[in-house]
Amino acid sequence: MSSHCYVGVTEPDHPHLAHARFVLCDGHPSVILPSLAAIWAGPARYDTRALVTAILACDWEYLDPDMTAATHSAFTGQLPVPGVGMTLASTCTDETVDTPEPVTVFPLCHSRHLDVEWIYLVDPDTATVAVHTDDGSLVARYPLSGCLPRPAAANRRMGELRRTAAAAGTPR
């Protein structure tokens, strides 16, 4: 998946003004929502403000909660951030790394001018993520806790319950 997105936050006094970072790859909700939830539950330790701080630190090639410090990029200037993802960096012709760009700030009503398909805005007070389309329209709001992958044991238990219900003729 190569859909681009922005991930960020709004201020309570200005809910239609996004402060966000660009994510180049894998910007679809099926990838970003579980990644944000895993970063929130992992390195951020369920602290939504820590999640926002980590995400707003730089622009990203991609978010990956399984990222380790040992991960290497084929591109000069990209750095792995353990538990968060791979940074997006540019280099000059002399192989020096440019300083990170500042956080992008934009009104949601102007998001159609951005080259992204999705915008994700984290609410630190409610631990939710608002998902917006490329034109700034709100599609849905998800609790981070609901985006975490279920443990394997829970998946096995759900499978057992479904098989039991099917064997008994009970609708699922």
Side-chain angles (χ1 to χ4, degrees), residues 43-64:
R45 296 191 163 113
Y46 299 98
D47 179 343
T48 312
R49 293 187 197 299
L51 168 66
V52 170
T53 299
I55 295 299
L56 293 181
C58 58
D59 289 327
W60 301 95
E61 175 81 19
Y62 56 92
L63 297 178
D64 181 359

PDB file of all heavy atoms in Angstrom, residues 43-64:
ATOM      1  N   PRO A  43       5.632   1.671  23.478  1.00  0.00           N
ATOM      2  CA  PRO A  43       6.573   2.680  23.983  1.00  0.00           C
ATOM      3  C   PRO A  43       5.907   3.846  24.718  1.00  0.00           C
ATOM      4  O   PRO A  43       6.477   4.412  25.627  1.00  0.00           O
ATOM      5  CB  PRO A  43       7.289   3.177  22.737  1.00  0.00           C
ATOM      6  CG  PRO A  43       6.844   2.367  21.611  1.00  0.00           C
ATOM      7  CD  PRO A  43       5.736   1.475  22.048  1.00  0.00           C
ATOM      8  N   ALA A  44       4.686   4.205  24.341  1.00  0.00           N
ATOM      9  CA  ALA A  44       4.003   5.330  24.991  1.00  0.00           C
ATOM     10  C   ALA A  44       3.351   4.931  26.318  1.00  0.00           C
ATOM     11  O   ALA A  44       2.892   5.802  27.056  1.00  0.00           O
ATOM     12  CB  ALA A  44       2.966   5.935  24.053  1.00  0.00           C
ATOM     13  N   ARG A  45       3.279   3.629  26.600  1.00  0.00           N
ATOM     14  CA  ARG A  45       2.728   3.104  27.864  1.00  0.00           C
ATOM     15  C   ARG A  45       1.331   3.646  28.168  1.00  0.00           C
ATOM     16  O   ARG A  45       1.063   4.119  29.264  1.00  0.00           O
ATOM     17  CB  ARG A  45       3.683   3.385  29.008  1.00  0.00           C
ATOM     18  CG  ARG A  45       4.992   2.667  28.844  1.00  0.00           C
ATOM     19  CD  ARG A  45       5.813   2.747  30.109  1.00  0.00           C
ATOM     20  NE  ARG A  45       6.845   1.741  30.055  1.00  0.00           N
ATOM     21  CZ  ARG A  45       8.129   2.023  29.971  1.00  0.00           C
ATOM     22  NH1 ARG A  45       8.531   3.261  29.933  1.00  0.00           N
ATOM     23  NH2 ARG A  45       9.003   1.047  29.935  1.00  0.00           N
ATOM     24  N   TYR A  46       0.459   3.631  27.163  1.00  0.00           N
ATOM     25  CA  TYR A  46      -0.936   4.060  27.278  1.00  0.00           C
ATOM     26  C   TYR A  46      -1.078   5.540  27.627  1.00  0.00           C
ATOM     27  O   TYR A  46      -2.111   5.971  28.115  1.00  0.00           O
ATOM     28  CB  TYR A  46      -1.707   3.196  28.288  1.00  0.00           C
ATOM     29  CG  TYR A  46      -1.738   1.745  27.897  1.00  0.00           C
ATOM     30  CD1 TYR A  46      -0.853   0.836  28.445  1.00  0.00           C
ATOM     31  CD2 TYR A  46      -2.641   1.285  26.944  1.00  0.00           C
ATOM     32  CE1 TYR A  46      -0.862  -0.504  28.075  1.00  0.00           C
ATOM     33  CE2 TYR A  46      -2.668  -0.052  26.564  1.00  0.00           C
ATOM     34  CZ  TYR A  46      -1.771  -0.935  27.135  1.00  0.00           C
ATOM     35  OH  TYR A  46      -1.784  -2.260  26.761  1.00  0.00           O
ATOM     36  N   ASP A  47      -0.042   6.302  27.357  1.00  0.00           N
ATOM     37  CA  ASP A  47      -0.059   7.753  27.573  1.00  0.00           C
ATOM     38  C   ASP A  47      -0.251   8.394  26.201  1.00  0.00           C
ATOM     39  O   ASP A  47       0.663   8.407  25.368  1.00  0.00           O
ATOM     40  CB  ASP A  47       1.255   8.195  28.212  1.00  0.00           C
ATOM     41  CG  ASP A  47       1.334   9.693  28.459  1.00  0.00           C
ATOM     42  OD1 ASP A  47       0.528  10.460  27.866  1.00  0.00           O
ATOM     43  OD2 ASP A  47       2.210  10.106  29.228  1.00  0.00           O
ATOM     44  N   THR A  48      -1.442   8.924  25.962  1.00  0.00           N
ATOM     45  CA  THR A  48      -1.759   9.454  24.640  1.00  0.00           C
ATOM     46  C   THR A  48      -0.918  10.675  24.300  1.00  0.00           C
ATOM     47  O   THR A  48      -0.560  10.883  23.143  1.00  0.00           O
ATOM     48  CB  THR A  48      -3.259   9.778  24.542  1.00  0.00           C
ATOM     49  OG1 THR A  48      -3.998   8.662  25.044  1.00  0.00           O
ATOM     50  CG2 THR A  48      -3.688  10.008  23.109  1.00  0.00           C
ATOM     51  N   ARG A  49      -0.570  11.467  25.285  1.00  0.00           N
ATOM     52  CA  ARG A  49       0.301  12.618  25.032  1.00  0.00           C
ATOM     53  C   ARG A  49       1.702  12.157  24.610  1.00  0.00           C
ATOM     54  O   ARG A  49       2.329  12.776  23.743  1.00  0.00           O
ATOM     55  CB  ARG A  49       0.352  13.534  26.235  1.00  0.00           C
ATOM     56  CG  ARG A  49      -0.988  14.207  26.488  1.00  0.00           C
ATOM     57  CD  ARG A  49      -0.968  15.249  27.557  1.00  0.00           C
ATOM     58  NE  ARG A  49      -2.276  15.606  28.053  1.00  0.00           N
ATOM     59  CZ  ARG A  49      -3.289  16.121  27.377  1.00  0.00           C
ATOM     60  NH1 ARG A  49      -3.149  16.343  26.092  1.00  0.00           N
ATOM     61  NH2 ARG A  49      -4.438  16.420  27.931  1.00  0.00           N
ATOM     62  N   ALA A  50       2.180  11.075  25.184  1.00  0.00           N
ATOM     63  CA  ALA A  50       3.480  10.515  24.769  1.00  0.00           C
ATOM     64  C   ALA A  50       3.392   9.993  23.339  1.00  0.00           C
ATOM     65  O   ALA A  50       4.353  10.126  22.561  1.00  0.00           O
ATOM     66  CB  ALA A  50       3.915   9.410  25.726  1.00  0.00           C
ATOM     67  N   LEU A  51       2.267   9.399  22.968  1.00  0.00           N
ATOM     68  CA  LEU A  51       2.059   8.951  21.588  1.00  0.00           C
ATOM     69  C   LEU A  51       2.144  10.147  20.641  1.00  0.00           C
ATOM     70  O   LEU A  51       2.857  10.099  19.631  1.00  0.00           O
ATOM     71  CB  LEU A  51       0.700   8.258  21.440  1.00  0.00           C
ATOM     72  CG  LEU A  51       0.219   8.001  20.005  1.00  0.00           C
ATOM     73  CD1 LEU A  51       1.117   7.002  19.297  1.00  0.00           C
ATOM     74  CD2 LEU A  51      -1.227   7.541  20.009  1.00  0.00           C
ATOM     75  N   VAL A  52       1.444  11.215  20.967  1.00  0.00           N
ATOM     76  CA  VAL A  52       1.453  12.409  20.117  1.00  0.00           C
ATOM     77  C   VAL A  52       2.865  12.981  20.008  1.00  0.00           C
ATOM     78  O   VAL A  52       3.316  13.341  18.918  1.00  0.00           O
ATOM     79  CB  VAL A  52       0.452  13.461  20.655  1.00  0.00           C
ATOM     80  CG1 VAL A  52       0.629  14.796  19.945  1.00  0.00           C
ATOM     81  CG2 VAL A  52      -0.973  12.957  20.494  1.00  0.00           C
ATOM     82  N   THR A  53       3.580  13.049  21.115  1.00  0.00           N
ATOM     83  CA  THR A  53       4.958  13.560  21.101  1.00  0.00           C
ATOM     84  C   THR A  53       5.835  12.718  20.178  1.00  0.00           C
ATOM     85  O   THR A  53       6.622  13.259  19.386  1.00  0.00           O
ATOM     86  CB  THR A  53       5.540  13.584  22.531  1.00  0.00           C
ATOM     87  OG1 THR A  53       4.732  14.453  23.333  1.00  0.00           O
ATOM     88  CG2 THR A  53       6.977  14.064  22.539  1.00  0.00           C
ATOM     89  N   ALA A  54       5.709  11.401  20.269  1.00  0.00           N
ATOM     90  CA  ALA A  54       6.512  10.508  19.414  1.00  0.00           C
ATOM     91  C   ALA A  54       6.170  10.705  17.939  1.00  0.00           C
ATOM     92  O   ALA A  54       7.077  10.792  17.096  1.00  0.00           O
ATOM     93  CB  ALA A  54       6.286   9.051  19.819  1.00  0.00           C
ATOM     94  N   ILE A  55       4.904  10.798  17.622  1.00  0.00           N
ATOM     95  CA  ILE A  55       4.485  10.939  16.225  1.00  0.00           C
ATOM     96  C   ILE A  55       4.903  12.292  15.656  1.00  0.00           C
ATOM     97  O   ILE A  55       5.318  12.402  14.508  1.00  0.00           O
ATOM     98  CB  ILE A  55       2.958  10.740  16.091  1.00  0.00           C
ATOM     99  CG1 ILE A  55       2.573   9.304  16.466  1.00  0.00           C
ATOM    100  CG2 ILE A  55       2.464  11.100  14.690  1.00  0.00           C
ATOM    101  CD1 ILE A  55       3.199   8.227  15.609  1.00  0.00           C
ATOM    102  N   LEU A  56       4.802  13.349  16.460  1.00  0.00           N
ATOM    103  CA  LEU A  56       5.118  14.696  15.970  1.00  0.00           C
ATOM    104  C   LEU A  56       6.616  15.000  15.946  1.00  0.00           C
ATOM    105  O   LEU A  56       7.018  16.085  15.536  1.00  0.00           O
ATOM    106  CB  LEU A  56       4.383  15.752  16.799  1.00  0.00           C
ATOM    107  CG  LEU A  56       2.864  15.769  16.656  1.00  0.00           C
ATOM    108  CD1 LEU A  56       2.269  16.892  17.512  1.00  0.00           C
ATOM    109  CD2 LEU A  56       2.424  15.902  15.208  1.00  0.00           C
ATOM    110  N   ALA A  57       7.442  14.046  16.328  1.00  0.00           N
ATOM    111  CA  ALA A  57       8.890  14.269  16.365  1.00  0.00           C
ATOM    112  C   ALA A  57       9.491  14.467  14.977  1.00  0.00           C
ATOM    113  O   ALA A  57      10.460  15.210  14.819  1.00  0.00           O
ATOM    114  CB  ALA A  57       9.583  13.114  17.071  1.00  0.00           C
ATOM    115  N   CYS A  58       8.927  13.815  13.971  1.00  0.00           N
ATOM    116  CA  CYS A  58       9.465  13.941  12.616  1.00  0.00           C
ATOM    117  C   CYS A  58       8.470  13.389  11.612  1.00  0.00           C
ATOM    118  O   CYS A  58       7.471  12.786  11.990  1.00  0.00           O
ATOM    119  CB  CYS A  58      10.801  13.203  12.499  1.00  0.00           C
ATOM    120  SG  CYS A  58      10.689  11.477  12.916  1.00  0.00           S
ATOM    121  N   ASP A  59       8.752  13.601  10.338  1.00  0.00           N
ATOM    122  CA  ASP A  59       7.971  12.966   9.281  1.00  0.00           C
ATOM    123  C   ASP A  59       8.443  11.522   9.177  1.00  0.00           C
ATOM    124  O   ASP A  59       9.565  11.186   9.555  1.00  0.00           O
ATOM    125  CB  ASP A  59       8.161  13.689   7.952  1.00  0.00           C
ATOM    126  CG  ASP A  59       7.495  15.062   7.929  1.00  0.00           C
ATOM    127  OD1 ASP A  59       6.439  15.225   8.566  1.00  0.00           O
ATOM    128  OD2 ASP A  59       8.033  15.975   7.269  1.00  0.00           O
ATOM    129  N   TRP A  60       7.592  10.669   8.627  1.00  0.00           N
ATOM    130  CA  TRP A  60       7.849   9.229   8.653  1.00  0.00           C
ATOM    131  C   TRP A  60       7.796   8.611   7.266  1.00  0.00           C
ATOM    132  O   TRP A  60       6.917   8.949   6.466  1.00  0.00           O
ATOM    133  CB  TRP A  60       6.809   8.533   9.547  1.00  0.00           C
ATOM    134  CG  TRP A  60       6.848   9.057  10.943  1.00  0.00           C
ATOM    135  CD1 TRP A  60       6.063  10.050  11.472  1.00  0.00           C
ATOM    136  CD2 TRP A  60       7.737   8.653  11.974  1.00  0.00           C
ATOM    137  NE1 TRP A  60       6.426  10.273  12.783  1.00  0.00           N
ATOM    138  CE2 TRP A  60       7.442   9.431  13.113  1.00  0.00           C
ATOM    139  CE3 TRP A  60       8.754   7.705  12.048  1.00  0.00           C
ATOM    140  CZ2 TRP A  60       8.133   9.297  14.314  1.00  0.00           C
ATOM    141  CZ3 TRP A  60       9.436   7.563  13.239  1.00  0.00           C
ATOM    142  CH2 TRP A  60       9.126   8.342  14.361  1.00  0.00           C
ATOM    143  N   GLU A  61       8.707   7.693   7.031  1.00  0.00           N
ATOM    144  CA  GLU A  61       8.609   6.822   5.852  1.00  0.00           C
ATOM    145  C   GLU A  61       7.419   5.897   6.070  1.00  0.00           C
ATOM    146  O   GLU A  61       6.567   5.745   5.217  1.00  0.00           O
ATOM    147  CB  GLU A  61       9.900   6.014   5.687  1.00  0.00           C
ATOM    148  CG  GLU A  61       9.853   5.001   4.565  1.00  0.00           C
ATOM    149  CD  GLU A  61      10.119   5.593   3.196  1.00  0.00           C
ATOM    150  OE1 GLU A  61      10.676   6.682   3.085  1.00  0.00           O
ATOM    151  OE2 GLU A  61       9.752   4.930   2.221  1.00  0.00           O
ATOM    152  N   TYR A  62       7.386   5.294   7.266  1.00  0.00           N
ATOM    153  CA  TYR A  62       6.263   4.451   7.672  1.00  0.00           C
ATOM    154  C   TYR A  62       6.297   4.291   9.190  1.00  0.00           C
ATOM    155  O   TYR A  62       7.335   4.449   9.827  1.00  0.00           O
ATOM    156  CB  TYR A  62       6.307   3.077   6.993  1.00  0.00           C
ATOM    157  CG  TYR A  62       7.577   2.304   7.203  1.00  0.00           C
ATOM    158  CD1 TYR A  62       7.707   1.406   8.269  1.00  0.00           C
ATOM    159  CD2 TYR A  62       8.657   2.451   6.333  1.00  0.00           C
ATOM    160  CE1 TYR A  62       8.879   0.699   8.465  1.00  0.00           C
ATOM    161  CE2 TYR A  62       9.831   1.745   6.523  1.00  0.00           C
ATOM    162  CZ  TYR A  62       9.935   0.867   7.588  1.00  0.00           C
ATOM    163  OH  TYR A  62      11.098   0.172   7.782  1.00  0.00           O
ATOM    164  N   LEU A  63       5.136   3.985   9.760  1.00  0.00           N
ATOM    165  CA  LEU A  63       5.036   3.688  11.186  1.00  0.00           C
ATOM    166  C   LEU A  63       5.097   2.178  11.349  1.00  0.00           C
ATOM    167  O   LEU A  63       4.483   1.444  10.573  1.00  0.00           O
ATOM    168  CB  LEU A  63       3.730   4.232  11.768  1.00  0.00           C
ATOM    169  CG  LEU A  63       3.563   5.748  11.712  1.00  0.00           C
ATOM    170  CD1 LEU A  63       2.192   6.148  12.280  1.00  0.00           C
ATOM    171  CD2 LEU A  63       4.682   6.457  12.448  1.00  0.00           C
ATOM    172  N   ASP A  64       5.845   1.718  12.346  1.00  0.00           N
ATOM    173  CA  ASP A  64       5.993   0.292  12.582  1.00  0.00           C
ATOM    174  C   ASP A  64       6.314   0.067  14.056  1.00  0.00           C
ATOM    175  O   ASP A  64       7.457   0.288  14.478  1.00  0.00           O
ATOM    176  CB  ASP A  64       7.098  -0.281  11.710  1.00  0.00           C
ATOM    177  CG  ASP A  64       7.284  -1.780  11.882  1.00  0.00           C
ATOM    178  OD1 ASP A  64       6.567  -2.400  12.707  1.00  0.00           O
ATOM    179  OD2 ASP A  64       8.158  -2.335  11.199  1.00  0.00           O
TER     180      ASP A  64
END
